[in-house]
């Protein structure tokens, strides 16, 4: 039997919570662990219910989504937080990722993409909505016209290529695991890939990193 992925839905609008729950309920491997109407409830419910994934809105009372994400990651680091919001500004995206979110989706995401994103998050992957990825890409292109990887990004990718986990990379480079994830998201965008395996393959093909 397929292992169930338990999801906590955190949104201050009951209709939105019910709508998301209805979508997830159509999937045989996704299970609703619970609901939260405030950021503080999201933190408390995560601690009590220990879901694999939290779908987090950004604009909520009693801790906003970024603050709740940071608190969840601090108290329950094994839980994956996936932002689901209507806001797509650079500041919102950066703040959410820096707080520890493993992905960022917009509420106009179709149901198949949402369900796939939940599965990816549960497996430890990172997910960016196409519109969000485009914004990140445009910003990075503005910051570096040639779009080359920074020396630290090359260090991170080299360690990943040698089979290190995010936690191991963080320990070797003396940075937080969240910082490693942020570097990886930047790497994916710069290389035009969607996951760590493709990033390593592309970087090896281009001679950006070498093994041995």
């Amino acid at each position: 039997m397929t292992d169930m992925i338990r999801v906590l839905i955190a949104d201050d609008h009951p209709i939105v919570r019910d709508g998301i729950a209805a979508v997830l309920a159509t999937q045989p491997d996704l299970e609703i662990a619970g609901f939260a109407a405030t950021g503080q409830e999201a933190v408390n419910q995560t601690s009590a219910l220990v879901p694999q994934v939290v779908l987090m809105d950004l604009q909520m009372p009693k801790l906003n989504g970024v603050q709740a994400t940071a608190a969840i990651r601090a108290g329950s680091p094994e839980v994956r937080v996936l932002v689901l919001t209507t806001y797509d500004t650079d500041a919102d995206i950066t703040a959410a990722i820096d707080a520890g979110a493993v992905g960022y989706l917009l509420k106009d995401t179709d149901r198949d993409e949402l369900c796939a994103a939940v599965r990816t998050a549960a497996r430890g992957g990172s997910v960016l909505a196409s519109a969000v990825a485009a914004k990140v890409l445009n910003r990075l292109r503005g910051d570096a016209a040639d779009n080359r990887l920074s020396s630290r990004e090359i260090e991170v990718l080299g360690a990943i290529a040698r089979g290190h986990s995010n936690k191991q990379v963080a320990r070797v480079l003396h940075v937080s695991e969240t910082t490693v994830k942020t570097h990886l998201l930047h790497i994916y965008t710069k290389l035009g890939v969607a996951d760590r395996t493709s990033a390593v393959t592309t970087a090896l093909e281009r001679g950006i990193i070498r093994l041995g």
Side-chain angles (χ1 to χ4, degrees):
M1 180 180 292
T2 302
D3 291 337
M4 296 295 290
I5 298 172
R6 301 176 70 249
V7 183
L8 176 71
I9 300 171
D11 197 291
D12 61 336
H13 292 97
I15 292 177
V16 174
R17 292 197 302 270
D18 291 345
I20 296 170
V23 169
L24 300 184
T26 65
Q27 305 299 305
D29 59 332
L30 304 183
E31 177 183 8
I32 308 304
F35 300 92
T38 71
Q40 187 60 59
E41 279 185 16
V43 176
N44 295 344
Q45 290 287 68
T46 297
S47 179
L49 302 173
V50 195
Q52 281 98 324
V53 178
V54 177
L55 281 174
M56 179 74 71
D57 187 22
L58 287 185
Q59 299 299 319
M60 290 193 297
K62 299 180 181 178
L63 294 185
N64 61 37
V66 169
Q67 293 167 330
T69 296
I72 287 171
R73 295 294 297 154
S76 305
E78 74 282 6
V79 176
R80 311 293 180 177
V81 180
L82 181 57
V83 170
L84 183 62
T85 183
T86 57
Y87 299 91
D88 64 349
T89 68
D90 289 354
D92 286 322
I93 296 166
T94 301
I97 293 173
D98 286 348
V102 299
Y104 199 106
L105 297 178
L106 302 179
K107 286 184 177 176
D108 60 0
T109 298
D110 68 46
R111 63 178 59 204
D112 290 340
E113 186 178 352
L114 173 60
C115 295
V118 170
R119 296 185 183 101
T120 298
R123 293 194 299 266
S126 300
V127 186
L128 287 178
S130 56
V132 172
K135 278 181 170 287
V136 174
L137 179 58
N138 288 337
R139 187 178 73 238
L140 290 172
R141 280 177 173 163
D143 292 341
D146 59 2
N147 224 26
R148 291 180 297 181
L149 299 188
S150 69
S151 58
R152 179 47 65 103
E153 288 165 352
I154 292 173
E155 283 184 292
V156 169
L157 193 52
I160 294 296
R162 292 189 293 274
H164 293 332
S165 67
N166 289 356
K167 183 177 294 185
Q168 290 171 323
V169 176
R171 186 165 59 248
V172 169
L173 299 182
H174 305 291
V175 297
S176 71
E177 196 171 347
T178 296
T179 297
V180 172
K181 291 177 182 177
T182 300
H183 283 312
L184 283 173
L185 288 172
H186 290 171
I187 290 167
Y188 296 166
T189 302
K190 289 183 178 182
L191 296 181
V193 299
D195 56 57
R196 60 205 291 138
T197 300
S198 298
V200 169
T201 300
T202 299
L204 288 170
E205 290 174 348
R206 296 182 186 178
I208 298 171
I209 60 172
R210 291 180 175 81
L211 297 179

